[in-house]
């Protein structure tokens, strides 16, 4: 028997569910370690929520034209701003895949026995970790501005879950876009074209009831709407969910599952 | 037909081939980058693939490493089919691409750590192999530095170390010394030879460097327009042309006239930017 046909390791520890989880976390770890070397990127993400809450929110609080279901407008929009900051952070995430493809780093992951689904989920996991930093910032800011926040383990855990799920959804969506367009320039174009419609066709800064019919029918298939709906109930005193938390989370989980399935199929095509 | 497929079956042949292809083909629209290639390489050898820019060398390696699906034909790598058993192939091969595969934003140690985890290598084995790899590649001192600050030679040695952590039976190196100075080049050659000595690794490499092919490879093959034109030990190929022929002469004999038209812009750009990044 020659060496070439023997397994180089006695037993494959990359197999099975635990192997899958370890590989997924290794993919996420690579990204998180990079972030720790250079945390500047996280800081730049903190500018936008500050602008929205401290300026837009303050001004619109005076109009009282938006039916918020009894909430102050600033309280109403805070979950929307959190969801938005997560969306904007995640939606350009795919460009790192194109960047790493151009360098040749993606190839190293693809020749390893890591299942493609683990490559996709690992990236989603690192995006989730980033979103928790954004959540912390928005809480801090909201607290300083006197937003009527709910405190408590249950509220925090629920908000964290919704935020992470939202981040996973839009980062995976972004990964799919990257695998399709394949070039940095086209990707930036698409990202810019998509973010604003995703944001405005949602209940982030005004309720569904204010929208014209056509916009509402887009908003109800927009995962962002369900994220904001859940956040409003979980994060704000007196906030309520329109669809119910169960539907909010089910809709988001469904969207995530579909996106992961598509991304897993497309991921190897990034290099061809 | 039946005899060929039984030849391709790993258990059917006593002499084990590291790589064995049959009519392996890859097209990009109208362009046939790899053209019905049937060849095999013996395990335990250092195999060098030579040929002008655009000959199809990288495309061939990408198919053998499961990165690119073939348009037709079959390939067995370490006895497994690249299309039907990709995961088995991946467990048994290492690959260092023509581009950079080390992550410039991580340290040398972190690059090795992530690779080890992707291959499911657990502690304490992992700690030990990483330390050993760093020492073997003479990178222990630089392990904590971010790879962006490494020299081209250090990056190449790190990448080879990364691709060897899981002790692959076959290591694919696509232009391992492109853009390196002569000293760095020598260091990489020595490490490649040492790998074969220590782990019995089969090396499958491409190069444009005739001296490298001559010194390092047991067997070389000339590729041109997606086909293999000749294969054999460097000494044999040179002897075919005449008593004083160099490997460069052999290259020109097989690829000579058409080199000028073949270098497509994207290829040139790709190779040059690799070389620049490695500087
Ligand atoms: N993804 C791709 N899409 C379209 N054409 C491609 C692609 N990859 C390679 N080619 C073409 O296939 C041919 C073979 O390319 P390949 O990179 O395999 O050559 P090579 O022998 O490695 O060249 P070099 O020595 O410059 O690295 C070239 O004509 C190249 O332009
Ligand atoms: Mg090449």
């Amino acid at each position: 028997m020659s060496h070439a046909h023997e397994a180089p390791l006695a037993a494959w520890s990359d197999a099975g569910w635990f192997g899958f989880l370890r590989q997924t976390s290794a993919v996420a770890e690579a990204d998180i370690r990079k972030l720790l070397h250079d945390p500047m990127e996280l800081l730049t993400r903190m500018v936008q929520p500050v602008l929205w809450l401290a300026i837009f929110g303050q001004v619109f609080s005076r109009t009282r034209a938006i039916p918020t279901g009894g909430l102050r407008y600033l309280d109403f929009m805070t979950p929307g701003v959190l969801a938005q900051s997560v969306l904007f952070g995640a939606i350009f995430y795919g460009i790192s895949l194109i960047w790493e493809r151009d360098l040749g780093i993606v190839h190293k992951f693809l020749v390893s026995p890591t299942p493609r689904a683990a490559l996709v989920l690992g990236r989603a996991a690192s995006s989730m970790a980033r979103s928790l930093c954004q959540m912390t910032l928005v809480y801090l800011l909201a607290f300083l501005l006197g937003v009527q926040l709910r405190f408590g383990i249950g509220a925090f855990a629920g908000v964290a879950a919704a935020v992470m799920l939202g981040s996973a959804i839009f980062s995976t969506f972004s990964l799919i876009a990257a695998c399709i367009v394949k070039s940095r320039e086209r990707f930036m174009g698409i990202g810019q074209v998509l973010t604003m419609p995703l944001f405005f066709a949602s209940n982030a800064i005004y309720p569904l009831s204010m929208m014209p019919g056509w916009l509402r029918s887009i908003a109800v298939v927009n995962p962002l709407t369900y994220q904001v709906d859940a956040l409003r109930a979980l994060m704000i005193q007196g906030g309520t969910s329109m669809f119910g938390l169960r539907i909010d989370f089910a809709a988001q989980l469904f969207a995530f599952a579909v996106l992961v399935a598509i991304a897993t199929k497309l991921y190897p095509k990034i290099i061809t | 037909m039946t005899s060929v497929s039984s030849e391709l079956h790993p258990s059917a042949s006593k002499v084990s081939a590291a790589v064995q292809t049959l009519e392996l083909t890859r097209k990009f629209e109208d362009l046939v980058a790899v053209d019905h290639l049937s060849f095999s390489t013996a395990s335990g050898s250092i195999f060098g693939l030579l040929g002008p820019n655009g000959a199809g060398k990288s495309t061939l390696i990408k198919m053998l490493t499961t990165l690119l699906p073939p348009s037709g034909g079959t390939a067995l790598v370490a006895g497994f089919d690249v299309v039907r058993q990709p995961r088995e192939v991946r467990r048994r091969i290492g690959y260092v691409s023509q581009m950079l595969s080390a992550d410039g934003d991580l340290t040398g140690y972190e690059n090795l750590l992530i690779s080890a985890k992707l291959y499911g290598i657990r502690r304490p084995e992992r700690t030990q192999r990483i330390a050993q790899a760093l020492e073997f590649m003479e990178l222990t001192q630089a392990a904590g530095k971010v790879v962006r600050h490494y020299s081209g030679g250090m990056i190449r040695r790190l990448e080879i170390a990364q691709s060897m952590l899981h002790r692959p039976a076959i290591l694919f190196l696509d232009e391992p010394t492109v853009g390196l100075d002569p000293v760095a080049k020598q260091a990489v050659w020595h490490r490649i030879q040492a790998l074969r000595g220590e782990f019995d690794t089969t090396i499958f490499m491409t190069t444009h460097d005739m001296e490298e092919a001559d010194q390092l490879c047991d067997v070389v093959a000339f590729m041109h327009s997606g086909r293999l034109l000749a294969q054999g030990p460097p000494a044999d190929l040179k002897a075919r042309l005449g008593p004083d022929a160099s490997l460069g002469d052999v290259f020109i004999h097989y690829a000579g006239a058409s080199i000028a038209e073949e270098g497509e812009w994207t290829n040139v750009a790709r190779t040059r930017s690799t070389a620049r990044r490695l500087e």
Side-chain angles (χ1 to χ4, degrees):
Chain A
M1 192 68 195
S2 85
H3 284 270
H5 290 192
E6 276 168 37
L9 293 174
W12 289 109
S13 38
D14 67 81
W17 278 106
F18 282 112
F20 184 88
L21 285 179
R22 275 194 295 270
Q23 286 168 318
T24 304
S25 71
V27 174
E29 184 182 345
D31 202 56
I32 291 167
R33 280 179 179 269
K34 276 192 252 186
L35 206 59
L36 294 177
H37 285 301
D38 184 15
M40 249 328 268
E41 192 208 319
L42 275 184
L43 292 177
T44 60
R45 296 219 187 153
M46 302 194 162
V47 178
Q48 235 168 11
V50 174
L51 293 178
W52 280 92
L53 282 180
I55 299 174
F56 185 91
Q58 298 298 325
V59 174
F60 268 67
S61 290
R62 291 161 192 270
T63 69
R64 300 185 196 286
I66 298 171
T68 56
L71 295 178
R72 295 188 312 161
Y73 184 70
L74 193 64
D75 296 352
F76 175 83
M77 80 173 290
T78 298
V81 170
L82 173 55
Q84 182 225 35
S85 113
V86 169
L87 165 70
F88 283 24
I91 201 81
F92 290 104
Y93 185 64
I95 199 156
S96 67
L97 184 70
I98 297 180
W99 181 252
E100 288 174 18
R101 188 274 322 269
D102 288 345
L103 288 171
I105 297 171
V106 173
H107 302 64
K108 178 180 68 189
F109 287 86
L110 283 170
V111 291
S112 81
T114 314
R116 276 52 193 145
L119 296 175
V120 170
L121 288 171
R123 286 193 176 252
S126 84
S127 179
M128 288 182 191
R130 286 160 192 252
S131 72
L132 290 181
C133 303
Q134 292 168 296
M135 172 181 152
T136 311
L137 169 85
V138 172
Y139 259 101
L140 199 70
L141 205 62
F143 179 73
L144 292 177
L145 290 171
V147 172
Q148 304 288 300
L149 294 167
R150 281 178 55 186
F151 290 100
I153 297 294
F156 287 142
V159 170
V163 160
M164 288 197 292
L165 204 47
S167 177
I169 287 172
F170 291 110
S171 65
T172 308
F173 180 74
S174 175
L175 214 58
I176 292 173
C179 294
I180 293 171
V181 303
K182 291 182 179 165
S183 91
R184 262 175 271 176
E185 295 74 17
R186 273 178 290 179
F187 181 87
M188 286 312 284
I190 292 229
Q192 266 143 15
V193 167
L194 284 179
T195 27
M196 280 305 167
L198 274 170
F199 178 50
F200 287 120
S202 82
N203 54 354
I205 50 173
Y206 32 73
L208 289 179
S209 61
M210 259 181 91
M211 295 179 186
W214 64 269
L215 187 58
R216 196 180 312 145
S217 51
I218 298 175
V220 295
V221 293
N222 183 354
L224 193 68
T225 297
Y226 297 90
Q227 190 195 345
V228 173
D229 194 52
L231 287 176
R232 215 157 257 151
L234 292 162
M235 193 177 179
I236 304 296
Q237 288 181 29
T240 49
S241 155
M242 229 186 91
F243 301 109
L245 286 178
R246 203 173 292 198
I247 292 199
D248 288 336
F249 278 98
Q252 290 190 82
L253 279 171
F254 175 74
F256 183 50
V258 170
L259 290 168
V260 167
I262 298 173
T264 301
K265 268 261 172 287
L266 291 180
Y267 197 98
K269 297 199 171 34
I270 186 76
I271 57 161
T272 57
Chain B
M1 194 64 193
T2 13
S3 75
V4 171
S5 62
S6 71
E7 248 172 57
L8 266 178
H9 201 269
S11 56
S13 57
K14 279 277 172 286
V15 191
S16 63
V19 171
Q20 190 168 12
T21 72
L22 184 67
E23 301 281 307
L24 189 65
T25 303
R26 173 69 204 205
K27 295 180 184 149
F28 295 106
E29 274 125 48
D30 288 343
L31 178 89
V32 186
V34 172
D35 193 359
H36 298 87
L37 214 59
S38 301
F39 78 108
S40 67
T41 65
S43 71
S45 65
I46 300 184
F47 178 86
L49 193 59
L50 312 179
N53 296 128
K57 305 181 295 295
S58 296
T59 305
L60 174 60
I61 286 200
K62 283 182 193 154
M63 287 193 284
L64 297 176
T65 52
T66 76
L67 289 173
L68 199 63
S71 315
T74 53
L76 296 182
V77 171
F80 293 92
D81 187 300
V82 293
V83 175
R84 281 177 297 153
Q85 300 158 298
R87 197 160 187 208
E88 295 303 325
V89 172
R90 287 177 195 136
R91 284 169 168 163
R92 288 165 180 81
I93 61 167
Y95 169 63
V96 179
S97 79
Q98 191 172 345
M99 297 184 285
L100 283 181
S101 55
D103 198 320
D105 295 330
L106 295 175
T107 66
Y109 168 78
E110 287 171 328
N111 267 287
L112 289 163
L113 182 70
I114 300 297
S115 281
K117 289 184 175 182
L118 290 176
Y119 285 90
I121 305 166
R122 313 279 299 277
R123 263 182 315 197
E125 185 78 17
R126 184 168 71 215
T127 319
Q128 188 197 327
R129 284 194 190 184
I130 292 175
Q132 199 185 28
L134 284 166
E135 194 167 332
F136 188 73
M137 291 295 173
E138 289 159 22
L139 290 169
T140 310
Q141 293 288 312
K145 269 206 304 185
V146 172
V147 170
R148 209 180 315 116
H149 303 308
Y150 279 27
S151 72
M154 289 163 78
I155 293 178
R156 269 305 185 220
R157 298 204 305 275
L158 175 67
E159 288 170 337
I160 297 173
Q162 264 181 283
S163 65
M164 283 301 297
L165 285 171
H166 59 295
R167 310 287 181 254
I170 307 166
L171 181 59
F172 292 89
L173 302 171
D174 201 350
E175 301 194 27
T177 58
V178 66
L180 300 189
D181 68 52
V183 178
K185 215 177 251 192
Q186 282 281 348
V188 169
W189 292 355
H190 287 145
R191 295 301 89 194
I192 292 174
Q193 278 165 329
L195 278 180
R196 199 232 325 231
E198 185 141 338
F199 303 112
D200 218 4
T201 316
T202 304
I203 313 278
F204 189 114
M205 60 185 277
T206 72
T207 180
H208 286 293
D209 185 327
M210 293 306 131
E211 191 196 350
E212 177 168 301
D214 215 351
Q215 290 208 3
L216 206 55
C217 299
D218 307 311
V219 175
V220 297
F222 283 92
M223 192 169 184
H224 185 44
S225 302
R227 294 171 168 276
L228 280 196
L229 300 180
Q231 180 176 344
D236 291 7
L237 294 177
K238 287 186 285 188
R240 276 193 221 168
L241 278 202
D244 300 322
S246 70
L247 209 53
D249 297 331
V250 180
F251 184 94
I252 291 165
H253 173 76
Y254 285 112
S258 46
I259 289 179
E261 312 109 63
E262 287 289 327
E264 282 182 29
W265 189 86
T266 47
N267 271 321
V268 176
R270 216 180 289 157
T271 316
R272 292 226 177 125
S273 63
T274 309
R276 201 168 47 237
R277 272 201 304 278
L278 280 168
E279 266 158 22

